[in-house]
Amino acid sequence: MGYLLRSSSDTTTFTVVKWLGFVTAVWVQAISGNNYTFSNYSDALKTLMNLTQLQLNNLSVAKDVGKAFGLLAGLACDRLPTSVILLIGSVEGFVGYGAQWLVVSRRIQPLAYWQMCIFLCLGGNSTTWMNTAVLVTCIRNFRRNRGPVSGILKGYVGLSTAIFTDLCAALFSNNPASFLMMLAVVPLTVCLAAVFFLREIPPAETDSEEKEEFKYFTIFNVVAVLVAVYLLAYDFIPSPSSGLSLTFSIVLLILLASPLVVPAYAFFKSLSLKTTVNDVESKIVEPLLNEAREPEVIQEKLPTSAAVEVERKPMVGEDHTIIEAMRTMEFWILFVSFLCGVGTGMAVMNNMGQIGLALGYTDVSIFVSLTSIWGFFGRIISGSVSEYFIKKVGTPRPLWNGASQIVMAAGYLLMALALPGSLYIGSIVVGICYGVRLAVTVPTASELFGLKHYGLIYNVLILNLPLGSFLFSGLLAGILYDQQATPTPGGGNTCVGAHCFRLVFIIMAIACVVGLGLDVLLAIRTKMVYNKIYMARRPKKLAIQGNGQ
């Protein structure tokens, strides 16, 4: 409990470094969604390598299989510094996307199919290291505001596809080779900046610090919404001039840099504060009282004499090892429901190029960008809203996942009908619901199974990304599309018409209904966990009100 006794200068340093770290974490997330951009260059790979749709989809599966090796990042996050994990991910991405750039730019002859699978796998795995470093570190640093942290960070991952897509359109006229060059170089550059600031810092210990954090997160939310609206507005400008495109790019970079005002403000505010008796009491006395109310804090600071308690089988809501978590019914309910949501969403994003072409659209970048931007709104809103309702009435977080499954199923049925404009609406719906699933599941896992081994538990859960990609994209979409497609001269095949993906959408809608049932079941089974979280906050609020009377 030694970090409770820190001087005002230490507090200033901790505060500034913590918020600088969060800003760089936002930047890392804003460039780590490169795994969702496959549609932007998939057609170039298909043409250069003369691939069928099934072969192309299996390339996208290879990209997503890279996430399966995220288990390595999960194991490493408790053993290696955050900076090392970031460096591993960024260098790996540079190699994986750099090789693809060499092929698409025709600087080398197309590699063998199995070799391309390896490089796509490397590119996909690179994001698991970056995401693990960012999410684990930030949720531990801001454990009293897990929902907003998850929503903001996952929101910027959702925006990253639109950021890359729109910058490439503005600066390089959607050239797929230039796009791949950006995917290789930009993440490496950003991670080199993040290694200096992103690290674990003692979390907030008082109610006043928690409220201060929430105010700062509001600023991050506002900036993120401005970025999203700005990207969305640019997408609807028909044929922007080169001057307008350059202006757009400069303003976008300024907006992305603007969160730096938070650590700057925190620094100047900390300098103006002087240590008082009340401050000492808020740093020492109140945390000791809080420990009596918050089971999670007690677990982290138990004396060695409490070894008997640690050895007992943990209950849901306490710290679990990955083996202990996987022995619970709650883990597998969360795992399978997550598969139903993100697996089907991955299938749409991986096949967006072919879905658009099948429905008569020659340029599908607008749909890729719409999915990305509305995915951001799903992430950032669900993170904050789910946190609010937990603290307000103890609403189980999984219920928000269930709500997203209903809307997602409706979106798939709409795309199956292929009515005019349905792909626009479908892209928005899939983006929102996919974003909700990611932003809500991240804090849910930490609340049910604790933070001690959270890095590994998180990476086991996101095995759903490669598994879902294989089942719904590689097998379901690839096989059913090829059954409807006709061969094209020079190799490969193509399908045009609403029938190409109709059955795929119907099956994915059914999968979402299954996911809905699982989410409701999980909410029922974990209601007591969320009631404890709610009650842990409620006594402090009542005490504060009593002191004010």
Side-chain angles (χ1 to χ4, degrees), residues 151-208:
I152 292 168
L153 294 179
K154 284 296 183 182
Y156 272 98
V157 174
L159 283 183
S160 64
T161 303
I163 291 171
F164 275 125
T165 300
D166 288 353
L167 281 176
C168 185
L171 301 176
F172 308 113
S173 301
N174 285 321
N175 182 280
S178 300
F179 187 82
L180 282 166
M181 173 60 80
M182 290 175 61
L183 296 185
V185 174
V186 174
L188 177 63
T189 305
V190 173
C191 286
L192 288 176
V195 297
F196 294 103
F197 302 106
L198 186 58
R199 66 192 70 170
E200 286 195 31
I201 300 294
E205 299 159 357
T206 66
D207 287 341
S208 60

Side-chain angles (χ1 to χ4, degrees), residues 354-480:
Q354 286 65 48
I355 293 172
L357 293 174
L359 296 180
Y361 298 97
T362 56
D363 182 9
V364 298
S365 62
I366 179 64
F367 302 114
V368 175
S369 189
L370 283 174
T371 303
S372 172
I373 293 171
W374 287 97
F376 154 79
F377 284 114
R379 298 171 202 227
I380 202 166
I381 293 173
S382 63
S384 296
V385 169
S386 63
E387 189 78 19
Y388 171 81
F389 278 97
I390 287 175
K391 294 178 179 178
K392 191 72 175 177
V393 292
T395 303
R397 216 184 287 266
L399 283 179
W400 299 99
N401 280 336
S404 73
Q405 297 277 35
I406 299 175
V407 180
M408 201 175 217
Y412 290 144
L413 292 177
L414 179 63
M415 288 193 283
L417 294 174
L419 299 174
S422 61
L423 190 53
Y424 286 94
I425 299 174
S427 299
I428 293 172
V429 168
V430 171
I432 291 174
C433 297
Y434 184 86
V436 170
R437 288 262 20 161
L438 286 174
V440 171
T441 301
V442 168
T444 298
S446 72
E447 288 156 351
L448 300 187
F449 308 113
L451 286 171
K452 188 174 182 180
H453 303 284
Y454 176 64
L456 186 55
I457 292 172
Y458 165 74
N459 277 285
V460 171
L461 282 174
I462 66 169
L463 287 176
N464 278 298
L465 296 179
L467 179 60
S469 179
F470 171 72
L471 293 175
F472 293 103
S473 182
L475 290 183
L476 180 67
I479 292 174
L480 294 183

Side-chain angles (χ1 to χ4, degrees), residues 66 90 111 113 137 143 171 208 266 292 357 386 482 506:
S90 57
L111 300 174
Y113 187 80
T137 303
R143 60 188 64 195
L171 301 176
S208 60
L357 293 174
S386 63
D482 282 340
I506 292 173

Side-chain angles (χ1 to χ4, degrees), residues 456-516:
L456 186 55
I457 292 172
Y458 165 74
N459 277 285
V460 171
L461 282 174
I462 66 169
L463 287 176
N464 278 298
L465 296 179
L467 179 60
S469 179
F470 171 72
L471 293 175
F472 293 103
S473 182
L475 290 183
L476 180 67
I479 292 174
L480 294 183
Y481 179 94
D482 282 340
Q483 288 179 352
Q484 303 291 335
T486 55
T488 57
N493 59 17
T494 187
C495 180
V496 178
H499 63 286
C500 300
F501 286 94
R502 178 171 289 133
L503 184 56
V504 175
F505 289 134
I506 292 173
I507 294 175
M508 292 196 301
I510 295 172
C512 287
V513 173
V514 173
L516 164 64

Side-chain angles (χ1 to χ4, degrees), residues 312-320 448 532:
R312 70 179 177 82
K313 181 181 177 181
M315 299 178 64
V316 174
E318 301 175 342
D319 282 326
H320 287 63
L448 300 187
K532 288 179 181 178

